[in-house]
Amino acid sequence: MGFSKLTETKVLLKQYFKDIISIEEGGEQRLIIDLQSKDITSMINHLKDFMDFKHLSMISCVDWPEENKFEIVYILTSYSKNIVLMLKTKIDRKNPKLQSIMSLWPQAVTYEIELNEMFGVFFEGNDRMGEEFILEDWDDIPPMRRDFDSLEYANKNFKFRDERKDKKIIREFISEHYDEWRKK
Amino acid sequence: MDDLKRPTLDSDFTCDMAFNKITKWAQKNSLWLLAYGTGCGAIELSPTMTSRYDWSRLGIRGSATPRQADLLLITGYLSTKTLKRVIRSYEQMQDPKYVIGFGSCTINGGMYYDSYNTIKQLDLYIPVDVYINGCMPRPEAVLSGLAYLKDKIGDKKADGWIKYKQNFEWYRENQKKILKSFNGDNMPDKYNW
Amino acid sequence: MSTDSMYRLLVTIAVILGSIIYGFFINSLARRITARVQNRMGPPLKQPFIDVIKLYSKRTFVTHGIMQTLGPILMLTGIISTLILIPYGKGYLTLYSSNGDLITILYIMTFGQLAMALAVGQAGNPYGTIGVARGLTRMFGYELPLILALISLIALNHSADVNVIIANQHGGIANWNAFRHPFVGITALLAMLGMMSYQPFDNASAPAEVASGPITEFGGKFMAIMMTTNAMFVVAKLALLVDLFFGGASNIFILALKIFLLYLYPLFVGLVFPRFAMEDTFLFFWKWPTLIGFIGLAIAIF
Amino acid sequence: MIDIKGILGPLSALKFLGKAPHTIDYPKETKKTADRYRGIHYNDVEACIGCGSCGTICENDAIDMVNVGFDPNKADTGFRPVVDYGRCCWCALCVDVCPSGSLSLTKDYVYVDDDPKKFLYVPGLQELGKVNIDSTDDLKELAKIEKENRPKLKEGERSWYQKDRTEGLLEFNRVPMKELPGSTRIKSFAEVVLGYTEEEAFMESIRCLGCGLCISACPDRMHIPDYIQAITERDYNSSANIIYENNPLPEMCGKVCTRQCETACVYHNRGDAVAIRWLKRFTTEQFDDFRTIINAEVKPLNGKKVGIIGAGPAGLTVGYYLRLRGYDVTIYEALSKAGGMTMAGIPKYRFPLDSLDKQISYMEEMGVRIHYNTRVGKDIMFDEIMDTYDAVFIGIGFHDPYDLGLKGEKEAKSGVISAVELLRRVNFGEKVDVGKKVAVIGGGNVAIDGARVSKRLGNVDVTILYRRRVQDMPADWEEIEGAEDEGVHIVPQAIPEEIMLDKNGKVTGIKYVMAEMVDDGKGGRPRPKKIEGSEKILPIDTLVGAIGQQADYSFLPDEYLFKTQDDEKSGSKKGIDTFWGRILVHGYNETTMKKVFSGGDMVNRTADAISAIADGLNAVKGIDLFLQGGKETKVNHSVTESDLDKNKLLDKHYKMKHENGKLVSVKLDLSGNIVTESVKIAKDPDELKKDVEKKEVNKSTDKANSKDKTMSYPTKNTNGETKKEEKKSKSKKKSKKKKKKK
């Protein structure tokens, strides 16, 4: 018995990419790799061409406003190795730019325009960048960013029924009626 | 224009609605609805139309195109993107036509009340004849709603389409507020589909 | 006007109305049967009548041009012409059938469909166009075996007159063309599946694929005309087949019964077999039915 | 080759042609709904307490709390949930979180209408879609629906509800407080209750739903949910600051408060209330010194001076908050330690000395000056105080015990002691010899304290004699149980008759009669009735009396006391008015005498520390307004009915009525019959008459606006009745219509 395919992949990747921030197992047959954003394209290229990760499951994004970063997550699968790879990289939130991988997988275009619409991440080399995907006539900040207040937007743009004006919040009512010592 | 002053019906026009008894009976007992699942409620239509509840008993059947449909079911939440298509579909339907708001979301936003991308009150944009409450309404509720609509047609009270015609500008104003590029290619100034 | 032509006219009108009513009736029976096979109750028997009345009472009249308006009317004309050329029995019920009319019927039957194709073309709905293309392809498919079967019949009877063909079938079930010439009969019955446009050959109007095909853009009164036409057309087609292969009918009730029984056959087939793809439809008709048709023709000629 | 099976196989589907379809012919037949189906809401409006938990938890913002005409009171806000079915998605969290268990979901789920307004629904008050809610008036209309007409749930219709306390999301059991075992605690005065650990306090604090009902019951209106929330966040610093906003003696309250808040807690009806007192205690215990954490802002002195008589909770409160507002305050205390009854009257195993010292030293640090061992009337004259200070606050409390009134009490030279005195002497470290056998007479907290203290004075056998049954005892249940744990005997239904003395005047025993409880015949609580011939003699060494206390007004010179009619006629200057042993005060706790304010036990009837603090705070407001002389500061110095209504003196025993333009105070017995009348005139009769007329006019208009406090069932005037009838007939018509449709 040699190494398992997971360990083998891990070792190979570590040898090939010296700059990997971290690589860890995230469950059964699952690797989570943290990368710098400049390495991401070459890494994916390598994975697809030489390590048989032929399937792009999805591209996703996580907003970290506290760190002022976007975390882009690529999920690749290899059927021969039966391994799911999660490539994560953090990019600057103010100027979120990344290389498109549409030349490797044409379907990546859809993910990329969606991320562009929902987070405002720009993928260079994607010629359909900026196309409307789900939101038509959107004129606010991208809605999936965490500093976007959905309820506020809804209150501003939509009308709710006005029959509910008698609403009372019990705690406030009690404060008003009983509590003369409340600091206001 | 006051948004919250909802349109009322010009009473003279209702007389025009009165066909003879046979056509009224036919309209009531033959409702073809536009198979247009805009929201999650479409899942409840499957048991309603298949053998468990079988809505064809009531003379209801799905129709593939708005041209042939009498009834538009807005099944649940309606996103702003879909609204454009719904308005277009509604415009393509031929009079007399009816709309059923289906699920809580069409009444006051439902569980999507804080969503940036769904409309909250359906009757601001197209006239709604009957609301079926539920999240989602079960087939019994759907059938009750359809029965309610049939009664309304029988009583000559399903006049949403007339209301829409009479208050077209009011509805247009509301639609324009949501659909910002309203006068673009998709939404010509005068509907002519 | 002579009394003879008066009677003939009255019978013609009666046949047209009767075919409408009978068409709707068997349509509603079909819906009931379909429902029962699908384990549900199904609509009431009057449902097709309600539907068509409702459609006539629709108030909007949307048309995209003169051809779209003319199309359904031409279709109606075509189908009425077909109807009056088919004999329904003896005496006045033979209507206007005369020498060589089988070829006329075949020609006129396609007339309605071509008018329809033109109307759909003007409506400009892509689904409609696709539907028409599919419908014509299917027609192209089933016409070959059908015509093979008819040519065999003409060859066997040395006549293209439907009345003659009916007369030749006298003398019990064994004399019916379907049984006396089994190859011809089988060919015709297989081609009939395509003619009736039920499943598995309903890809022209497949609702989930191309909306409702040719009729996508036709609503309200157009739709009502089309429904009426369809009801008549079903009766016409079945009556013709009964006349040609199942011994015709001595009176109208036997004809109605035979039509209904014959109608059950494509209905049952349609209920249990899923829809064919376009190329499969075409292949189906040009494979077995055509082969059998050629055998039948060979037997008939030699 | 041809697949024969493939061609013929599908034909088997045709077999269904001969079978009955399994379609449900709705609405002719219906399918049975699952037992736990979540349908439309139902609310038992009588059991609902309007806490608003359902609305708070709702993710969709679907539930509004709206006043539908129920009366607010201490444990009920009067609000009821209104569900917006344009929002609800039947997750049933509202049911799971309902502390009163009143909310439930039914199996009914068909709700169809053409008017979107009709999807606002008041469960339990309204039938589906019956009432269009356009305004509050519509909801008020709903409230008028009589009890019988309210929709009732039929058998088996309720599907999703809390069957018992273990269902749902709530924890009905409080985190138990650790205590010393009974056998250990009688050996010393060590504190019985051990306090929560941090984890226990957290677990207890997260039970709080944050509705704030407790605030309505607290005399001092403490910000209970806020400081509990701070404990949940483990921010004890801000928790203490919130407590100190309106309570300068939090540790005392955390240990010995009568906690009326807990009786108003939403959990109270179905389980244990949140341990508000213990949580407050936990917060205050986190700090050794309040100076470092309370960031109270002390305003510089503004030159006004306030004198305070008595350093009890009321006096200390006034002193502390007035000092914060920049007044120069001086407190005169007769005893050698501050704290009043909390210092002298609460045994140290409940309230250790050091925690009081901690609070008082903090107050003194803030600039509150206390003169100890200074009895007003003896060491300093009241006149002098009145002359020196711009305002005076009297908070002397009840320190004089009532006499037992037993035969032999006067003659006894030793062996008879009041509980108050016993406690005071024990707390001040004096040695008290109670002998081996002690009897305590009374059933209040003081009696129990006296008994438990006696128990700790050595190997003492203690018996409590009480006239009524144990469940009638006014003492806290916990205290009674604690006493029993410690081996105190309780003899209920025992009426003491006579104190047995020996020839030296020393007590040797007590003679008592057993009693049976008889109904008083008027619906009140049962009275004890002596059973003839059941006399018993209990040999004792000491008799401790604890049947109540009163105030000692001997320090007040005669001229400051209110002289009823003579005073009125002569027009001489008004004094402090007392009424049944208590000082009469108005809205801001001002007495009938200018610049004199009062509060504490000798003003309010609840006579507990938290009420004293509340009085103090109220007086602070009054004194501040009085001394700043602003517009709204006019302190009213005449007694009117509304003032007396507010007056804490009045409870159900006392009612005021008008007679010939005069305000008459009437004492009522338990069943509401007039027992005695005494005339209390505050204004000259003519003026009063005008006032009364005005008031009555106001009242009638108020009634018209249906703002009077009583539940407004259909009013008796004819208009109202006809209206109601119209409504009824309308609704009947509607229901008929519905039936027809079906």
Side-chain angles (χ1 to χ4, degrees):
Chain A
M1 280 285 286
F3 289 120
S4 71
K5 284 202 171 133
L6 197 70
T7 326
E8 192 188 309
T9 316
K10 215 163 139 180
V11 171
L12 277 172
L13 280 175
K14 265 188 188 166
Q15 276 177 359
Y16 191 79
F17 280 96
K18 298 282 189 288
D19 288 347
I20 286 181
I21 298 169
S22 77
I23 177 163
E24 57 188 78
E25 286 179 37
E28 219 171 286
Q29 298 297 324
R30 198 172 271 267
L31 280 180
I32 300 173
I33 303 164
D34 227 336
L35 287 174
Q36 285 177 0
S37 58
K38 63 181 167 55
D39 296 337
I40 199 87
T41 322
S42 52
M43 177 70 145
I44 293 174
N45 254 317
H46 179 78
L47 284 168
K48 192 189 179 191
D49 293 346
F50 302 109
M51 294 184 70
D52 201 37
F53 282 89
K54 298 278 189 213
H55 177 83
L56 171 73
S57 297
M58 64 181 278
I59 309 174
S60 173
C61 180
V62 186
D63 188 7
W64 299 102
E66 302 87 354
E67 297 175 36
N68 212 4
K69 296 270 185 208
F70 281 126
E71 189 173 26
I72 311 288
V73 184
Y74 294 84
I75 298 179
L76 308 180
T77 312
S78 162
Y79 291 111
S80 59
K81 294 187 168 67
N82 191 18
I83 291 173
V84 178
L85 262 189
M86 231 169 127
L87 300 174
K88 301 204 285 190
T89 182
K90 283 192 176 169
I91 55 174
D92 188 19
R93 201 162 173 276
K94 285 217 176 80
N95 184 23
K97 265 188 187 170
L98 213 57
Q99 203 64 42
S100 168
I101 54 165
M102 68 178 287
S103 52
L104 299 176
W105 286 283
Q107 75 269 30
V109 172
T110 312
Y111 290 116
E112 287 173 1
I113 57 175
E114 189 186 6
L115 289 186
N116 179 260
E117 190 172 84
M118 292 295 174
F119 289 92
V121 181
F122 189 85
F123 288 89
E124 286 169 326
N126 184 336
D127 46 9
R128 283 174 62 195
M129 194 77 331
E131 207 172 273
E132 278 177 342
F133 182 59
I134 288 169
L135 308 173
E136 289 179 350
D137 322 322
W138 188 255
D139 56 359
D140 213 309
I141 60 169
M144 293 299 269
R145 289 197 181 191
R146 270 171 58 201
D147 48 4
F148 172 79
D149 187 342
S150 190
L151 183 58
E152 194 191 321
Y153 182 88
N155 281 329
K156 199 176 75 195
N157 285 279
F158 301 102
K159 284 244 150 45
F160 293 104
R161 298 211 177 273
D162 53 350
E163 286 87 26
R164 293 177 57 178
K165 53 187 178 289
D166 297 323
K167 180 174 188 160
K168 283 260 164 42
I169 293 165
I170 294 298
R171 183 75 182 80
E172 283 172 6
F173 165 79
I174 287 175
S175 288
E176 260 171 45
H177 279 252
Y178 292 105
D179 193 356
E180 61 257 55
W181 296 104
R182 185 107 226 134
K183 277 185 187 164
K184 275 159 193 161
Chain B
M1 199 171 290
D2 187 10
D3 290 324
L4 298 164
K5 198 176 156 253
R6 277 158 220 279
T8 47
L9 196 69
D10 188 354
S11 57
D12 294 346
F13 209 81
T14 36
C15 312
D16 193 37
M17 242 185 100
F19 299 97
N20 59 49
K21 267 186 181 173
I22 294 173
T23 47
K24 192 97 288 180
W25 166 76
Q27 279 168 8
K28 181 176 144 179
N29 285 307
S30 164
L31 285 172
W32 294 7
L33 53 90
L34 184 56
Y36 191 69
T38 51
C40 32
I43 200 74
E44 290 294 339
L45 295 185
S46 313
T48 318
M49 63 188 178
T50 52
S51 54
R52 196 40 146 178
Y53 288 97
D54 186 26
W55 67 18
S56 70
R57 287 180 294 125
L58 309 170
I60 295 155
R61 52 169 264 208
S63 86
T65 89
R67 291 274 183 236
Q68 296 153 11
D70 310 299
L71 172 60
L72 180 58
L73 267 183
I74 304 297
T75 50
Y77 67 84
L78 191 59
S79 72
T80 48
K81 184 176 177 174
T82 332
L83 176 64
K84 208 180 269 186
R85 279 78 181 164
V86 162
I87 293 169
R88 189 169 174 157
S89 300
Y90 182 72
E91 292 284 346
Q92 287 189 345
M93 282 164 65
Q94 306 196 4
D95 302 337
K97 52 192 175 185
Y98 319 103
V99 180
I100 288 187
F102 187 104
S104 304
C105 342
T106 54
I107 302 168
N108 198 12
M111 67 193 296
Y112 303 97
Y113 80 103
D114 58 351
S115 161
Y116 54 86
N117 204 20
T118 60
I119 59 131
K120 316 300 173 199
Q121 293 180 51
L122 183 60
D123 56 350
L124 288 182
Y125 312 104
I126 47 174
V128 181
D129 293 299
V130 175
Y131 282 105
I132 304 172
N133 188 259
C135 181
M136 292 320 295
R138 285 174 51 141
E140 285 99 327
V142 180
L143 290 175
S144 304
L146 290 166
Y148 193 99
L149 178 67
K150 281 171 115 181
D151 286 352
K152 256 190 109 171
I153 296 169
D155 297 347
K156 297 174 190 170
K157 278 179 188 155
D159 45 19
W161 56 283
I162 302 174
K163 226 187 259 179
Y164 187 75
K165 281 208 163 99
Q166 286 179 357
N167 302 281
F168 186 61
E169 280 308 314
W170 187 85
Y171 285 105
R172 275 289 293 276
E173 279 304 310
N174 286 331
Q175 290 164 5
K176 274 182 184 169
K177 268 177 203 154
I178 303 298
L179 310 171
K180 278 152 196 159
S181 64
F182 191 80
N183 290 319
D185 298 336
N186 283 334
M187 286 283 169
D189 209 25
K190 281 213 168 121
Y191 299 131
N192 58 351
W193 300 299
Chain C
M1 197 187 271
S2 65
T3 28
D4 181 62
S5 50
M6 270 280 281
Y7 275 126
R8 209 172 275 277
L9 190 66
L10 281 177
V11 170
T12 309
I13 291 167
V15 161
I16 292 169
L17 291 178
S19 69
I20 293 172
I21 291 166
Y22 191 59
F24 281 140
F25 176 68
I26 57 173
N27 178 286
S28 94
L29 268 180
R31 282 170 76 172
R32 283 293 274 202
I33 290 165
T34 315
R36 290 302 290 268
V37 172
Q38 289 169 354
N39 218 344
R40 58 192 172 90
M41 283 166 84
L45 282 177
K46 61 193 173 201
Q47 193 59 46
F49 300 99
I50 304 177
D51 284 348
V52 87
I53 293 170
K54 179 206 73 180
L55 284 171
Y56 275 120
S57 76
K58 280 280 187 188
R59 311 197 77 213
T60 326
F61 184 77
V62 177
T63 175
H64 295 289
I66 188 74
M67 196 57 225
Q68 197 196 352
T69 318
L70 273 178
I73 294 163
L74 288 178
M75 202 174 158
L76 190 68
T77 346
I79 212 68
I80 289 174
S81 327
T82 317
L83 266 181
I84 57 174
L85 289 176
I86 297 170
Y88 298 96
K90 284 170 183 161
Y92 292 119
L93 283 172
T94 54
L95 291 181
Y96 301 100
S97 58
S98 58
N99 249 352
D101 56 5
L102 189 52
I103 293 158
T104 325
I105 291 170
L106 274 180
Y107 169 69
I108 286 179
M109 259 168 111
T110 52
F111 175 76
Q113 310 216 8
L114 291 171
M116 180 74 194
L118 282 172
V120 170
Q122 184 156 42
N125 192 308
Y127 290 129
T129 323
I130 296 171
V132 165
R134 287 180 171 200
L136 292 179
T137 316
R138 186 190 60 203
M139 210 165 100
F140 198 43
Y142 76 74
E143 291 267 284
L144 178 62
L146 183 68
I147 285 175
L148 280 176
L150 293 185
I151 290 171
S152 309
L153 267 195
I154 293 169
L156 284 167
N157 290 292
H158 305 286
S159 167
D161 189 344
V162 182
N163 289 320
V164 174
I165 297 172
I166 296 171
N168 283 346
Q169 292 179 71
H170 261 296
I173 293 174
N175 281 339
W176 291 1
N177 281 331
F179 303 112
R180 205 163 63 185
H181 312 293
F183 285 103
V184 181
I186 289 169
T187 315
L189 283 178
L190 287 175
M192 179 195 164
L193 286 177
M195 229 168 121
M196 296 300 292
S197 74
Y198 277 130
Q199 271 182 334
F201 305 110
D202 65 338
N203 35 27
S205 59
E209 293 172 35
V210 287
S212 44
I215 54 168
T216 304
E217 200 55 31
F218 294 80
K221 294 182 167 82
F222 290 140
M223 179 78 180
I225 295 174
M226 280 170 166
M227 270 183 79
T228 322
T229 317
N230 207 37
M232 289 154 85
F233 197 27
V234 166
V235 176
K237 280 189 275 193
L238 290 170
L240 182 64
L241 285 170
V242 167
D243 281 350
L244 292 179
F245 295 98
F246 296 94
S250 54
N251 64 47
I252 204 85
F253 299 106
I254 291 174
L255 181 73
L257 185 69
K258 281 184 177 176
I259 285 176
F260 179 66
L261 291 175
L262 188 60
Y263 181 73
L264 287 180
Y265 149 68
L267 179 69
F268 283 159
V269 171
L271 277 176
V272 293
F273 290 106
R275 187 181 304 143
F276 275 23
M278 204 57 241
E279 57 271 29
D280 291 341
T281 308
F282 195 77
L283 265 180
F284 174 84
F285 285 121
W286 280 34
K287 216 169 159 186
W288 296 107
T290 313
L291 193 66
I292 299 168
F294 273 119
I295 297 170
L297 186 62
I299 293 170
I301 293 171
F302 305 110
Chain D
M1 266 316 289
I2 302 169
D3 180 8
I4 296 294
K5 212 183 157 192
I7 290 171
L8 296 181
L11 289 169
S12 65
L14 294 175
K15 68 174 183 260
F16 288 111
L17 200 54
K19 288 182 180 170
H22 82 282
T23 305
I24 292 169
D25 194 3
Y26 184 86
K28 277 178 216 152
E29 50 178 317
T30 45
K31 204 163 133 266
K32 199 175 158 265
T33 317
D35 282 342
R36 293 279 274 166
Y37 188 80
R38 301 193 300 254
I40 282 155
H41 292 74
Y42 177 79
N43 189 16
D44 184 354
V45 282
E46 301 291 324
C48 181
I49 52 173
C51 66
S53 307
C54 40
T56 313
I57 201 165
C58 185
E59 284 280 313
N60 295 352
D61 192 20
I63 299 180
D64 293 345
M65 297 306 288
V66 173
N67 189 347
V68 292
F70 281 84
D71 260 356
N73 60 44
K74 264 184 187 176
D76 180 0
T77 57
F79 290 81
R80 294 293 179 267
V82 176
V83 185
D84 179 4
Y85 283 110
R87 289 283 176 80
C88 179
C89 70
W90 288 273
C91 62
L93 273 178
C94 48
V95 174
D96 288 346
V97 86
C98 181
S100 65
S102 64
L103 202 60
S104 57
L105 297 184
T106 61
K107 286 180 180 173
D108 194 3
Y109 51 83
V110 179
Y111 194 172
V112 174
D113 213 307
D114 51 359
D115 186 358
K117 278 180 191 169
K118 289 198 177 164
F119 293 98
L120 265 187
Y121 170 61
V122 191
L125 268 184
Q126 174 191 0
E127 280 175 44
L128 277 188
K130 272 277 170 73
V131 179
N132 237 350
I133 301 176
D134 273 327
S135 66
T136 335
D137 296 340
D138 295 331
L139 291 168
K140 292 273 156 63
E141 204 64 40
L142 272 183
K144 285 184 185 167
I145 299 171
E146 286 159 72
K147 276 183 190 175
E148 300 81 57
N149 290 343
R150 284 180 194 155
K152 290 265 155 45
L153 274 191
K154 284 176 213 107
E155 192 67 32
E157 269 184 6
R158 198 159 59 142
S159 57
W160 190 276
Y161 62 102
Q162 294 178 36
K163 287 196 185 68
D164 52 51
R165 285 171 24 176
T166 55
E167 287 204 355
L169 300 172
L170 302 171
E171 174 58 60
F172 281 95
N173 299 322
R174 72 162 57 160
V175 177
M177 178 55 104
K178 286 200 247 357
E179 289 180 359
L180 290 176
S183 55
T184 325
R185 25 187 224 235
I186 56 167
K187 285 176 189 154
S188 70
F189 279 89
E191 204 183 352
V192 170
V193 174
L194 298 173
Y196 278 143
T197 62
E198 201 173 337
E199 207 43 49
E200 282 170 340
F202 174 75
M203 290 310 290
E204 184 62 29
S205 68
I206 55 172
R207 287 178 63 213
C208 177
L209 295 174
C211 60
L213 268 177
C214 40
I215 299 177
S216 66
C218 179
D220 190 28
R221 314 297 188 210
M222 297 203 59
H223 309 138
I224 298 160
D226 296 354
Y227 68 71
I228 293 182
Q229 174 68 24
I231 295 175
T232 315
E233 288 158 11
R234 297 184 197 254
D235 184 1
Y236 310 128
N237 204 326
S238 71
S239 179
N241 269 304
I242 292 165
I243 296 172
Y244 252 97
E245 266 176 29
N246 57 351
N247 188 343
L249 297 163
E251 190 153 354
M252 183 272 291
C253 284
K255 287 179 176 168
V256 298
C257 184
T258 45
R259 61 196 200 293
Q260 294 167 41
C261 49
E262 291 184 18
T263 57
C265 182
V266 290
Y267 288 105
H268 182 68
N269 290 332
R270 289 175 73 207
D272 307 339
V274 174
I276 299 169
R277 180 170 64 163
W278 297 143
L279 287 171
K280 182 154 62 217
R281 174 201 169 105
F282 168 79
T283 298
T284 54
E285 273 178 348
Q286 302 309 303
F287 309 103
D288 290 335
D289 193 346
F290 290 121
R291 256 160 289 184
T292 49
I293 55 133
I294 306 297
N295 41 24
E297 180 205 350
V298 188
K299 285 190 184 147
L301 290 177
N302 59 10
K304 303 271 186 189
K305 288 160 83 180
V306 180
I308 296 160
I309 303 168
L316 288 170
T317 308
V318 175
Y320 177 71
Y321 287 107
L322 279 182
R323 181 64 200 92
L324 291 188
R325 290 175 184 217
Y327 294 92
D328 185 9
V329 289
T330 312
I331 303 179
Y332 296 97
E333 171 58 50
L335 298 172
S336 60
K337 278 200 166 83
M341 209 37 132
T342 58
M343 161 68 211
I346 297 176
K348 291 301 125 191
Y349 61 85
R350 277 172 64 194
F351 184 40
L353 205 55
D354 50 349
S355 53
L356 188 59
D357 286 348
K358 188 166 103 187
Q359 297 168 86
I360 287 165
S361 66
Y362 165 67
M363 269 184 214
E364 286 181 312
E365 195 83 17
M366 302 302 279
V368 180
R369 204 178 315 119
I370 307 176
H371 293 302
Y372 295 106
N373 298 320
T374 314
R375 182 172 285 276
V376 178
K378 201 172 116 202
D379 301 316
I380 182 168
M381 287 299 140
F382 186 70
D383 281 328
E384 203 183 326
I385 294 176
M386 283 297 278
D387 292 342
T388 319
Y389 297 104
D390 300 313
V392 175
F393 180 84
I394 304 172
I396 54 172
F398 276 179
H399 282 267
D400 271 15
Y402 282 136
D403 288 339
L404 288 169
L406 296 179
K407 197 179 158 195
E409 190 186 1
K410 295 262 159 54
E411 292 79 23
K413 291 203 175 80
S414 65
V416 179
I417 188 170
S418 73
V420 181
E421 198 186 337
L422 174 77
L423 289 165
R424 178 161 64 230
R425 284 167 65 181
V426 170
N427 284 351
F428 278 88
E430 286 176 42
K431 264 220 143 103
V432 188
D433 183 21
V434 291
K436 288 287 158 214
K437 280 181 186 272
V438 174
V440 181
I441 295 172
N445 276 327
V446 179
I448 305 277
D449 282 348
R452 292 176 73 177
V453 164
S454 308
K455 195 78 192 169
R456 283 167 172 77
L457 293 173
N459 192 14
V460 183
D461 196 9
V462 183
T463 311
I464 294 175
L465 300 177
Y466 181 55
R467 322 163 47 88
R468 292 189 163 88
R469 292 164 300 181
V470 175
Q471 61 262 45
D472 297 327
M473 279 180 145
D476 282 359
W477 189 243
E478 286 175 8
E479 289 287 309
I480 298 170
E481 273 183 347
E484 279 177 337
D485 276 358
E486 289 164 13
V488 173
H489 305 290
I490 297 174
V491 182
Q493 298 174 25
I495 304 171
E497 289 267 276
E498 188 186 345
I499 304 170
M500 316 300 276
L501 304 169
D502 66 1
K503 51 186 181 292
N504 297 329
K506 196 186 174 315
V507 175
T508 56
I510 181 157
K511 186 161 113 188
Y512 62 91
V513 192
M514 297 311 288
E516 58 181 344
M517 303 307 288
V518 284
D519 192 44
D520 69 342
K522 291 167 192 164
R525 66 171 185 173
R527 282 180 301 120
K529 191 186 161 197
K530 288 177 187 172
I531 305 170
E532 292 304 323
S534 64
E535 285 93 351
K536 283 177 189 166
I537 294 179
L538 182 73
I540 50 167
D541 297 323
T542 307
L543 181 68
V544 179
I547 56 166
Q549 302 90 328
Q550 59 190 11
D552 178 11
Y553 295 120
S554 60
F555 71 95
L556 282 174
D558 270 1
E559 65 207 82
Y560 290 110
L561 278 172
F562 191 83
K563 307 273 175 41
T564 51
Q565 276 126 333
D566 307 337
D567 213 8
E568 185 70 29
K569 277 173 194 160
S570 63
S572 68
K573 85 172 176 188
K574 283 174 184 173
I576 297 166
D577 192 4
T578 58
F579 189 55
W580 292 87
R582 290 184 152 87
I583 290 179
L584 205 52
V585 294
H586 309 307
Y588 284 120
N589 274 52
E590 72 271 22
T591 62
T592 45
M593 188 168 171
K594 205 172 179 186
K595 91 177 187 180
V596 179
F597 294 76
S598 182
D601 285 2
M602 16 72 77
V603 165
N604 64 55
R605 270 189 93 81
T606 39
D608 53 7
I610 192 72
S611 305
I613 292 173
D615 277 359
L617 273 161
N618 203 15
V620 165
K621 228 179 210 175
I623 293 170
D624 201 19
L625 288 172
F626 174 63
L627 291 179
Q628 296 306 323
K631 263 190 185 170
E632 47 172 335
T633 62
K634 256 198 173 172
V635 177
N636 191 359
H637 277 279
S638 57
V639 181
T640 61
E641 195 191 22
S642 67
D643 286 338
L644 282 162
D645 267 344
K646 271 186 214 162
N647 193 322
K648 291 153 185 100
L649 237 174
L650 293 171
D651 64 357
K652 63 180 176 182
H653 294 266
Y654 297 89
K655 287 265 160 65
M656 304 302 287
K657 70 168 192 179
H658 299 287
E659 214 160 77
N660 305 325
K662 286 181 179 179
L663 204 52
V664 181
S665 158
V666 182
K667 193 188 177 194
L668 306 168
D669 67 5
L670 288 171
S671 52
N673 302 323
I674 297 171
V675 181
T676 54
E677 289 185 15
S678 62
V679 184
K680 288 269 159 185
I681 306 160
K683 278 185 171 179
D684 80 63
D686 287 334
E687 215 176 303
L688 191 69
K689 210 173 186 178
K690 278 180 202 162
D691 261 31
V692 168
E693 277 164 9
K694 232 188 228 171
K695 199 137 274 171
E696 269 166 1
V697 170
N698 283 345
K699 247 196 167 178
S700 55
T701 49
D702 275 3
K703 263 191 184 167
N705 295 340
S706 76
K707 271 175 187 166
D708 55 339
K709 276 188 174 179
T710 48
M711 184 83 171
S712 53
Y713 286 125
T715 42
K716 270 169 198 165
N717 68 41
T718 44
N719 289 341
E721 272 184 340
T722 46
K723 255 189 184 176
K724 197 193 119 202
E725 274 175 12
E726 267 177 28
K727 266 255 154 170
K728 261 191 176 176
S729 56
K730 262 189 188 174
S731 64
K732 266 183 190 170
K733 271 181 195 170
K734 269 189 182 176
S735 59
K736 268 185 188 171
K737 259 191 183 175
K738 278 215 165 173
K739 270 176 196 168
K740 268 188 184 173
K741 271 182 189 174
K742 274 168 193 173

